[in-house]
Amino acid sequence: MQSPEAERGQQGTPILVVEDLTRTYVKRGVRRPALDGVSFSLERGRTIAVVGESGAGKSTLARLVAGLERPDRGAVRVHGAPPRVRSGAASPVQMVFQHPVEALNRFVSVGSSIAEPIHGVGKQEKRRRVAELLEQVGLDPGRAGEKPARFSGGQLQRIVMARALAAEPEVLLCDEPTSALDVSVQAQIVNLLLALQQSTRFACLLITHDLGVAQVLADDVLVLLHGKPVELTPADEFFEQPREEYSRGLLLATKGQALVRG
Amino acid sequence: MTGEGVAVERLSVVARGGGSETQLVEDVSLRLAPATIMGIVGETGAGKTLTMRALLGLLPRGTQASGALSLAGAPPLALEAVTAVRGLLGRQTSVVLQNPLGMFDPLMRIRDQLTEGVVRRRLMTSAQAAQRASQLVREMGFSDPDAVQRLYPHQLSGGMAQRLACAMAMMPRPQLLVLDEPTSALDANVRVEVLKLFRRLAQDEGTAVFLVSHDLGLVGHFCDAIAVMYAGRVLEHGRTAEVLAAPQHPYTVALLSSSATLTARRREPLPGIEGAPPRPGTWPSGCVFEPRCTAAFERCKEVRPALSGDPEHATACLLVEREDARAVS
């Protein structure tokens, strides 16, 4: 076994760096920090799972990393530069959401949606890329012309993943990617994420309340509570023996409803 | 167990429209003793919610139930008689839905909502209802029932609302309580607490409970019995410990092994189930799981197996029947 530090050294420089990220919302005159001093870095091909209860700041972190919101303090850097949402260029941070239905335009063919982030190539090449991406996520390339309504929830999540991959992202931000799916479909999406990360080596920031999903996908686990980082621990260590009392409680709550199997 | 608890006999649901019929639920028979919880698990479209709605008389327009429901040994009530079945709701049967706020009138204080139904149905006097409401609210883990009952729905957190919805459902002392994904909108740690309260209350009051959930872990922990549904049918049912320790149907086995749990291997693919469940109207004529089953053989395409076994553990699978036959010979 190598120490996580030694492993990181081999991975080279981090792709995503989050430094002292802080965001405060003001509601009815009361300032409430939604995220407070969160820092971490993430290398190519690795996954950090961000876990915590609702209101822990997971979604705020996602919006800040995606560049959809500005932090009050601290910074997000992808390859040293802040990510921006600009039209005409695909962001290096791509997102996969909990509800794929809401992420896709229902009036547009799934092929067109997937082609959206592809710029500067001809029609033929676009079509070829879309077919390739559909195949990569396990869907029939012949269905590129169909509208989202013709696909199941699991298939739509695959389409959202294909669109994210079309942008050749450095960072894939997955916000509860399997929470709305059935168990067997959940497994298929988890497996697809693993396979895609292996082949394309994106860094993955996985937001989840499901420690079972984190158990399978995460290299490191970041626990948030009321916007503050509780601990950032290598997954092997975290699931064996979390450092903090609060994390132990989270694990116990999950084990409390785990299967009673021999 | 005759005369006690809840018995569902040969429940089916069909959708009618455009001159054709589509089977949505087929031949579901379940028995449930008082003070026990049965988890109904299965994936989207398996017919879990439709089965429960048929029992409550709450099927959507265009669908028709058949079969029978017996409560506490009363003569079986035909499920075709929707008005009669619906008449049980709020008296002998009750329900808690996934979104508790949908059950509350936003303009009424909690106290009035808890008591309104039972008083209107003349099951209790106002004084009796008020007393029962306070008692139930306390049992749902609120130390100051009066303060909570003065609140309006918008002042409740998700966990509070769900506990109060359960208190409201329990007001008429129902014999059958249906919990349809009652905690899927709640945080994991709140979920466990809420379900513990639900279970204790059901046990204290002798209520039989169907808990609909797609979360196997949850059902495994909280239910005495479990029924696994797939494509409108029950493929396996029995005591939770039996079914989870020794699942017999290949679908149950696959479902259990494909769940992402804390015992799954890090960074390794989960043993998944290929494909997706068939949509209603496209069910195979043989075993409904045959197209996705890795253990299927020729006869599975032709024969739709019936449940065989005993109330402790029964399975609808030709493989299991074959093993039984071998054991006998």
Side-chain angles (χ1 to χ4, degrees):
Chain A
M1 269 303 278
Q2 281 182 323
S3 72
E5 287 73 23
E7 253 181 61
R8 284 209 184 102
Q10 284 180 357
Q11 297 284 335
T13 50
I15 287 181
L16 171 68
V17 176
V18 166
E19 262 175 14
D20 190 28
L21 210 56
T22 301
R23 181 78 170 95
T24 302
Y25 296 114
V26 182
K27 193 180 172 189
R28 291 187 195 130
V30 182
R31 289 168 61 83
R32 198 181 70 85
L35 205 63
D36 193 353
V38 171
S39 303
F40 61 86
S41 61
L42 183 56
E43 291 91 12
R44 183 175 293 282
R46 290 181 69 88
T47 299
I48 289 186
V50 182
V51 303
E53 304 164 58
S54 358
K58 303 193 296 285
S59 305
T60 306
L61 176 63
R63 281 199 299 275
L64 289 169
V65 169
L68 301 174
E69 264 182 50
R70 294 278 179 85
D72 298 328
R73 198 176 73 221
V76 175
R77 288 195 198 88
V78 179
H79 274 316
R84 288 241 172 75
V85 186
R86 283 170 309 187
S87 57
S91 165
V93 181
Q94 289 293 313
M95 296 186 76
V96 174
F97 306 90
Q98 182 171 359
H99 298 289
V101 182
E102 294 162 17
L104 292 166
N105 184 340
R106 65 195 172 98
F107 300 110
V108 168
S109 75
V110 298
S112 306
S113 284
I114 293 171
E116 237 169 70
I118 306 174
H119 299 285
V121 295
K123 239 186 192 163
Q124 284 292 332
E125 172 61 13
K126 250 188 197 176
R127 206 168 292 156
R128 195 192 60 76
R129 277 286 288 149
V130 167
E132 197 179 86
L133 287 160
L134 278 169
E135 198 134 34
Q136 212 177 347
V137 297
L139 289 175
D140 175 8
R143 298 186 65 185
E146 295 178 25
K147 303 270 162 64
R150 314 246 318 156
F151 295 86
S152 70
Q155 289 172 329
L156 290 175
Q157 198 60 297
R158 287 169 193 266
I159 291 162
V160 170
M161 284 161 80
R163 184 180 59 181
L165 290 179
E168 296 173 1
E170 303 281 356
V171 179
L172 189 67
L173 207 165
C174 299
D175 193 355
E176 305 279 3
T178 62
S179 303
L181 304 174
D182 279 321
V183 180
S184 72
V185 185
Q186 232 172 54
Q188 290 167 4
I189 296 296
V190 163
N191 292 349
L192 181 61
L193 266 173
L194 274 175
L196 291 175
Q197 194 175 26
Q198 227 144 47
S199 57
T200 63
R201 309 295 295 158
F202 53 76
C204 179
L205 189 64
L206 171 73
I207 313 272
T208 183
H209 75 279
D210 186 341
L211 286 174
V213 171
Q215 157 81 22
V216 180
L217 289 175
D219 296 296
D220 299 284
V221 179
L222 170 64
V223 182
L224 295 181
L225 173 63
H226 303 317
K228 289 197 175 65
V230 174
E231 66 175 295
L232 173 59
T233 311
D236 289 334
E237 198 182 305
F238 177 85
F239 287 103
E240 199 60 46
Q241 181 73 54
R243 292 173 192 159
E244 299 297 324
E245 191 63 42
Y246 176 72
S247 316
R248 276 196 281 278
L250 278 185
L251 264 182
L252 275 178
T254 306
K255 279 183 185 152
Q257 46 171 294
L259 300 177
V260 218
R261 265 189 295 174
Chain B
M1 209 182 85
T2 45
E4 281 288 289
V6 175
V8 178
E9 300 290 344
R10 312 209 59 172
L11 184 158
S12 291
V13 178
V14 294
R16 293 213 173 95
S20 69
E21 265 190 13
T22 309
Q23 192 88 29
L24 301 175
V25 176
E26 191 171 59
D27 209 8
V28 169
S29 297
L30 296 167
R31 278 169 186 277
L32 191 54
T36 56
I37 305 182
M38 177 182 273
I40 313 286
V41 299
E43 303 183 80
T44 308
K48 313 182 290 283
T49 295
L50 279 175
T51 303
M52 293 302 122
R53 283 179 157 228
L55 296 177
L56 300 166
L58 293 176
L59 279 178
R61 214 175 278 255
T63 56
Q64 170 70 53
S66 61
L69 168 67
S70 311
L71 291 173
L77 183 62
L79 293 171
E80 287 91 338
V82 181
T83 318
V85 176
R86 180 76 200 259
L88 298 175
L89 188 60
R91 300 170 198 268
Q92 283 93 336
T93 64
S94 210
V95 63
V96 176
L97 301 170
Q98 182 175 352
N99 172 14
L101 287 179
M103 294 176 62
F104 292 113
D105 181 336
L107 301 178
M108 252 166 109
R109 287 184 198 276
I110 296 302
R111 178 185 48 223
D112 301 328
Q113 319 221 20
L114 287 174
T115 54
E116 189 265 352
V118 286
V119 172
R120 178 166 44 83
R121 294 188 181 94
R122 301 179 187 226
L123 298 171
M124 292 174 200
T125 64
S126 298
Q128 285 169 331
Q131 198 190 355
R132 177 152 174 85
S134 288
Q135 175 217 335
L136 284 173
V137 169
R138 182 164 289 133
E139 281 177 37
M140 277 289 135
F142 295 98
S143 51
D144 188 350
D146 291 338
V148 172
Q149 290 188 79
R150 275 196 296 272
L151 298 177
Y152 286 94
H154 74 269
Q155 295 171 298
L156 307 174
S157 73
M160 285 169 84
Q162 202 53 291
R163 285 184 285 157
L164 291 170
C166 187
M168 185 154 85
M170 290 297 285
M171 280 297 292
R173 297 194 167 86
Q175 291 158 31
L176 171 64
L177 174 66
V178 172
L179 303 172
D180 194 348
E181 301 274 5
T183 58
S184 44
L186 304 179
D187 278 337
N189 51 345
V190 183
R191 192 177 298 171
V192 172
E193 286 314 307
V194 168
L195 279 170
K196 275 185 189 160
L197 290 167
F198 283 13
R199 182 170 61 183
R200 202 177 60 206
L201 186 58
Q203 281 166 350
D204 289 351
E205 302 236 333
T207 317
V209 180
F210 283 125
L211 170 69
V212 175
S213 178
H214 66 277
D215 188 338
L216 271 168
L218 196 107
V219 166
H221 195 66
F222 282 98
C223 298
D224 308 290
I226 184 170
V228 181
M229 287 191 74
Y230 183 85
R233 298 180 68 88
V234 173
L235 296 187
E236 182 163 5
H237 71 76
R239 290 199 323 130
T240 307
E242 296 259 339
V243 174
L244 293 184
Q248 293 176 336
H249 200 287
Y251 177 63
T252 316
V253 174
L255 209 54
L256 286 171
S257 61
S258 66
S259 313
T261 62
L262 294 180
T263 53
R265 293 193 182 189
R266 175 133 327 109
R267 307 292 295 168
E268 279 185 32
L270 294 161
I273 315 173
E274 289 301 310
R279 292 188 191 174
T282 64
W283 293 344
S285 54
C287 167
V288 282
F289 188 57
E290 182 273 329
R292 299 173 78 195
C293 183
T294 51
F297 52 101
E298 265 320 295
R299 238 164 59 84
C300 299
K301 284 198 206 320
E302 295 147 22
V303 182
R304 190 170 284 186
L307 281 164
S308 70
D310 52 60
E312 298 279 283
H313 198 168
T315 309
C317 178
L318 292 178
L319 280 170
V320 178
E321 280 180 24
R322 201 155 68 166
E323 271 167 29
D324 288 350
R326 255 191 229 136
V328 170
S329 61

